[in-house]
Amino acid sequence: MTKHIGILTAGGDSPGLNAAIRGVCKAALGKYGMDIIGFRDGFRGLMENRFMRIDNDVVSGVLSVGGTILGTSRDKPHRMMVGGKQQDMTDAIVENYHANHLDALVCLGGGGTQKNALRLMEKGLNIITLPKTIDRDVAKTDSTFGFDTALGIATDAIDRLHSTAHSHHRIIVVEIMGHRTGWLALGAGIAGGADVILIPEIPYDVESISRAILTRVRGGKKFSIVAMSEGAMSVEEANAISAAEEKKERAEDKVERKRIKAELSQIHRKYTDRTLSLSNSLEESTGLESRITILGHLQRGGTPSAADRIIASTLGAACADLIHQGHYGVMVALSGNKPIPVPLDEVAGVRRVIPPGHPWIETARSLGVCLGDGSRRTD
Ligand code: F6P
């Protein structure tokens, strides 16, 4: 019997999404003769029952195209703005899934999407997810598609910043995406030869960064590149966040917990304030001029790298195989070069941070890169 599947892309877009849609659909159509519809703009399109039929023509020529042909949004099924009010639209979504006689729904997304997909799975839908994000922060997978492309863009930016920082004898603080993990900043920092790399996993001390920069100046290097992850924070800020998080856990009142949660998310979002403030502090403490560069959404745009196309195609094709086998409730993860199904409830809600002692951290330290926690360059 022909299987009917729905597919959607949710959360921030990411290079490789179209390659993944193509991977799922080409295998589902060609190998298994399935019937596919693509919902537009993430969970919102599913809630509003806006979709397009997907045949081979639709996925032809999209492999190298950035963004997502389906459109995306950050809407969550259980918290969606409808009619000017935030509402739980889960029932409407479940209804549309059944109205379209779907056998499975494929959700392509990052950490937030895994959580939303799990909620739908708990409502009885057959769900399969794929891990997409430039942040590489999804649990239980060795990588996510989008990361490699963003890594290349951020590395290229650091390369370019070197010559101007060098010519003007300046510090340049470059803000790199990554949400609350430092994979992108650490990877690009190492690949681009940044002098200081700041990541959320290691709260920084401004004085130790100044010392590292002044040591370079004494060694004749009057410029420094600081690769700063958007989630990086000073020791003081990180302590304040931990204290607020503990308070939130202890709060018995639901309203108070919600208030602290909203406050915390505001603090997390103020990355550019932190970038600017660090740049100003370093200018003052080192006597060097300092500039900031915010790479922002440039890191998510454009054509996916070859590595991302391979990951997306591999996971997409494996996803079609799993649907054929009726193997649902899983994320198709990457283990080495192999696609493997991982139970969704082991992935959702778990952020993959850089563990202490990770080889990239050790490498950076061995190269004399300052990670903001007191280690210093020796050259
Ligand atoms: O999760 C991907 C990501 O690009 C993060 O690195 C960044 O913090 C966030 O999305 C930006 O989101 P938006 O596109 O909604 O501004």
Side-chain angles (χ1 to χ4, degrees):
M1 239 183 37
T2 305
K3 278 198 166 160
H4 299 272
I5 65 172
I7 183 166
L8 59 81
T9 53
D13 72 335
S14 176
L17 270 173
N18 287 328
I21 296 170
R22 174 181 176 271
V24 175
C25 296
K26 272 186 91 95
L29 292 163
K31 236 171 132 179
Y32 302 115
M34 293 177 192
D35 187 64
I36 314 170
I37 56 176
F39 291 99
R40 297 186 189 272
D41 306 330
F43 293 108
R44 178 164 291 272
L46 176 54
M47 186 275 286
E48 293 170 352
N49 209 24
R50 284 188 291 116
F51 61 81
M52 64 202 270
R53 297 232 154 257
I54 300 190
D55 57 18
N56 277 311
D57 285 347
V58 173
V59 290
S60 168
V62 303
L63 177 62
S64 59
V65 179
T68 158
I69 54 167
L70 293 175
T72 186
S73 70
R74 292 204 180 272
D75 289 303
K76 303 173 173 68
H78 65 294
R79 235 187 302 139
M80 227 182 251
M81 283 303 278
V82 180
K85 269 202 319 223
Q86 212 163 60
Q87 300 192 42
D88 184 347
M89 301 309 289
T90 310
D91 288 349
I93 283 178
V94 171
E95 224 167 85
N96 286 337
Y97 174 95
H98 292 301
N100 288 300
H101 307 289
L102 296 183
D103 293 295
L105 176 69
V106 181
C107 304
L108 279 56
T113 303
Q114 309 303 327
K115 285 199 262 180
N116 292 322
L118 178 67
R119 285 190 187 102
L120 296 182
M121 181 188 112
E122 287 165 352
K123 293 283 174 187
L125 308 194
N126 292 330
I127 302 283
I128 299 200
T129 67
L130 259 59
K132 93 47 256 203
T133 169
I134 64 164
D135 304 333
R136 208 196 199 207
D137 59 353
V138 177
K140 301 267 172 179
T141 180
D142 286 350
S143 203
T144 56
F145 53 87
F147 176 73
D148 183 73
T149 309
L151 183 64
I153 296 169
T155 302
D156 181 56
I158 295 176
D159 287 348
R160 287 169 190 279
L161 291 172
H162 261 103
S163 59
T164 173
H166 181 265
S167 304
H168 284 268
H169 317 297
R170 280 175 176 157
I171 298 168
I172 295 189
V173 182
V174 50
E175 183 186 294
I176 297 172
M177 279 187 171
H179 197 44
R180 296 186 197 169
T181 63
W183 294 104
L184 203 50
L186 182 57
I190 294 172
D195 308 294
V196 178
I197 303 177
L198 305 176
I199 56 176
E201 291 84 347
I202 304 178
Y204 61 80
D205 165 42
V206 181
E207 260 180 47
S208 105
I209 303 170
S210 304
R211 273 201 307 272
I213 291 175
L214 288 173
T215 304
R216 279 176 54 77
V217 172
R218 281 196 294 277
K221 293 182 178 158
K222 298 200 182 89
F223 74 96
S224 283
I225 301 288
V226 180
M228 180 169 183
S229 178
E230 62 182 5
M233 283 185 196
S234 67
V235 173
E236 296 75 23
E237 287 160 334
N239 286 344
I241 291 237
S242 307
E245 253 151 20
E246 274 168 30
K247 204 168 145 200
K248 186 185 89 193
E249 290 316 310
R250 278 199 313 269
E252 279 167 19
D253 180 23
K254 209 173 153 193
V255 179
E256 174 65 355
R257 264 207 306 277
K258 241 176 135 178
R259 191 194 60 77
I260 304 176
K261 198 174 164 200
E263 209 175 279
L264 277 167
S265 118
Q266 277 303 320
I267 303 175
H268 279 296
R269 257 188 235 133
K270 294 206 165 146
Y271 19 86
T272 301
D273 289 359
R274 287 192 287 273
T275 307
L276 195 54
S277 147
L278 177 69
S279 171
N280 290 339
S281 305
L282 292 178
E283 196 163 82
E284 211 170 282
S285 58
T286 63
L288 295 175
E289 267 189 341
S290 180
R291 295 286 187 270
I292 65 166
T293 299
I294 297 161
L295 299 184
H297 293 79
L298 272 179
Q299 295 159 105
R300 286 202 337 224
T303 190
S305 68
D308 275 338
R309 294 182 207 183
I310 294 173
I311 296 177
S313 302
T314 305
L315 299 183
C319 175
D321 293 338
L322 290 166
I323 296 172
H324 174 68
Q325 294 155 20
H327 193 148
Y328 305 124
V330 291
M331 178 182 83
V332 194
L334 200 66
S335 170
N337 290 323
K338 249 180 80 181
I340 54 158
V342 179
L344 200 45
D345 55 7
E346 290 179 17
V347 175
V350 187
R351 182 175 299 128
R352 181 182 179 223
V353 297
I354 308 177
H358 185 276
W360 290 6
I361 291 183
E362 296 306 317
T363 300
R365 289 198 197 283
S366 300
L367 295 175
V369 175
C370 168
L371 295 180
D373 58 349
S375 67
R376 285 193 271 162
R377 266 190 111 91
T378 45
D379 64 342

